[in-house]
Amino acid sequence: QVQLVESGPGLVKPSETLALTCVVSGHSVSDDYYWAWIRQPPGKGLEWIGSIHYNENRYPTLRDSSLKSRVILLLDKSKNQLSLILTSVTAADTAVYYCVRLNGPSGSRYFGHWGQGTLVIVSS
Amino acid sequence: QSALTQEASVSGTVGQKVTLSCTGNNNNIGRYIVGWYQQISHDPPKTVMFGNSLPSGITDRFSGSRSGATAYLTISGLQPEDEGYYYCSTWDSSVSGWLFGGGTKVTVL
C-alpha cells in the first residue's frame, strides 16, 4: 500500500520561496504513475497545483495556469520523493498542501492515494 | 467560482438516499471519468468513487453515474459517519489541467 508523507517549513515569509517534500513508501516514484500536489486554503475547497510523471518524455509535467510561473515540480528517484517549490509566496498561498498519487490509465485517471497534508502559513 | 458546479449543501435523515451532482461540460465531465472525494472534519480527502467504480474498502452504499456533462454520487442508506464534504474532480482537455468542484456539505439530520 502506497504511503505519502509531506513535510515543510510550516511558516514562510511573504515573497520568499516555499519548498515541500513528499516521501513515498510502498511504491517507487519511477513507477508508471502521475504524482500531484493539491492544496486547500483554510475553510475553502481543493485546488490542483500540478502533476509530474517520472517519464517526462512521454507524460509532460503539468501545472495550473494560475500558478505556472511560480511552481517547480521535481521527482527524486534516489530518495523516492517528490518536491514542490513555490516562489514569491503571498498570504493567498496559505493552505494545507497534499501529495497525491493518481491511479488509472490515461483518460481514466483519478486521485487515488492522498497524504496527510502539511500546513503552510505565509506570514511575516 | 469553480469550473465544476456542485450543490453547496445536501441533507438527509439516517437511512435516506441522497444524490450529489457535479456539472461541467464536454471538455471535462462529458469526456473523462469523475472522481469523488470525501473529507470528514479536518482529515485529508478520501477517494470514495471513480467513475462508477468503488475503491477497495469503500462501502457499497456509494454509487456513481453520469449523464452527459453531469456526474452523480448517490449515498444509499445515509449514515452519521457520511457527514462531511464531498468534492468532485476530473480532467479538462481545454485547459490541460485538473478541475475541482466547490464541494457539497452533506448533513445527516
Side-chain angles (χ1 to χ4, degrees):
Chain A
Q1 179 78 333
V2 62
Q3 288 190 314
L4 310 166
V5 178
E6 306 91 339
S7 62
L11 180 65
V12 183
K13 290 182 168 55
S15 80
E16 292 188 343
T17 295
L18 165 67
L20 300 178
T21 297
C22 172
V23 175
V24 178
S25 59
H27 273 275
S28 170
V29 297
S30 60
D31 285 344
D32 191 16
Y33 293 102
Y34 259 110
W35 305 86
W37 289 94
I38 291 167
R39 70 182 183 180
Q40 186 172 34
K44 296 186 178 180
L46 301 169
E47 303 174 355
W48 173 73
I49 298 170
S51 302
I52 186 169
H53 194 289
Y54 189 71
N55 186 351
E56 292 186 85
N57 290 328
R58 182 174 181 184
Y59 301 107
T61 298
L62 307 164
R63 295 181 291 274
D64 178 80
S65 58
S66 68
L67 298 170
K68 195 169 187 175
S69 63
R70 298 196 292 129
V71 167
I72 299 172
L73 302 178
L74 301 168
L75 281 179
D76 187 330
K77 182 181 179 182
S78 65
K79 296 181 180 178
N80 211 41
Q81 67 183 36
L82 52 155
S83 299
L84 166 67
I85 297 171
L86 183 64
T87 62
S88 304
V89 299
T90 70
D93 296 312
T94 293
V96 174
Y97 286 75
Y98 295 103
C99 170
V100 186
R101 193 190 81 178
L102 283 91
N103 289 354
S106 179
S108 297
R109 289 196 175 99
Y110 62 97
F111 300 111
H113 295 273
W114 298 71
Q116 286 296 308
T118 186
L119 174 63
V120 174
I121 297 174
V122 179
S123 175
S124 55
Chain B
Q1 189 172 355
S2 303
L4 303 180
T5 302
Q6 298 184 248
E7 302 92 349
S9 63
V10 167
S11 62
T13 57
V14 173
Q16 192 174 7
K17 180 170 75 174
V18 297
T19 298
L20 286 62
S21 68
C22 175
T23 300
N25 59 43
N26 289 330
N27 292 316
N28 42 67
I29 293 178
R31 294 180 64 179
Y32 304 100
I33 71 162
V34 174
W36 290 90
Y37 308 97
Q38 175 196 63
Q39 190 171 35
I40 308 294
S41 186
H42 296 290
D43 289 346
K46 179 170 70 174
T47 307
V48 295
M49 185 66 56
F50 57 99
N52 58 3
S53 299
L54 281 169
S56 174
I58 300 300
T59 174
D60 61 3
R61 294 187 295 100
F62 290 101
S63 61
S65 63
R66 181 181 68 180
S67 177
T70 299
Y72 301 94
L73 177 71
T74 298
I75 310 174
S76 302
L78 194 64
Q79 298 297 310
E81 60 265 30
D82 299 330
E83 190 164 278
Y85 282 86
Y86 291 78
Y87 297 92
C88 61
S89 178
T90 191
W91 176 256
D92 187 292
S93 57
S94 68
V95 301
S96 293
W98 289 88
L99 304 179
F100 280 96
T104 295
K105 182 177 181 180
V106 172
T107 302
V108 181
L109 302 171

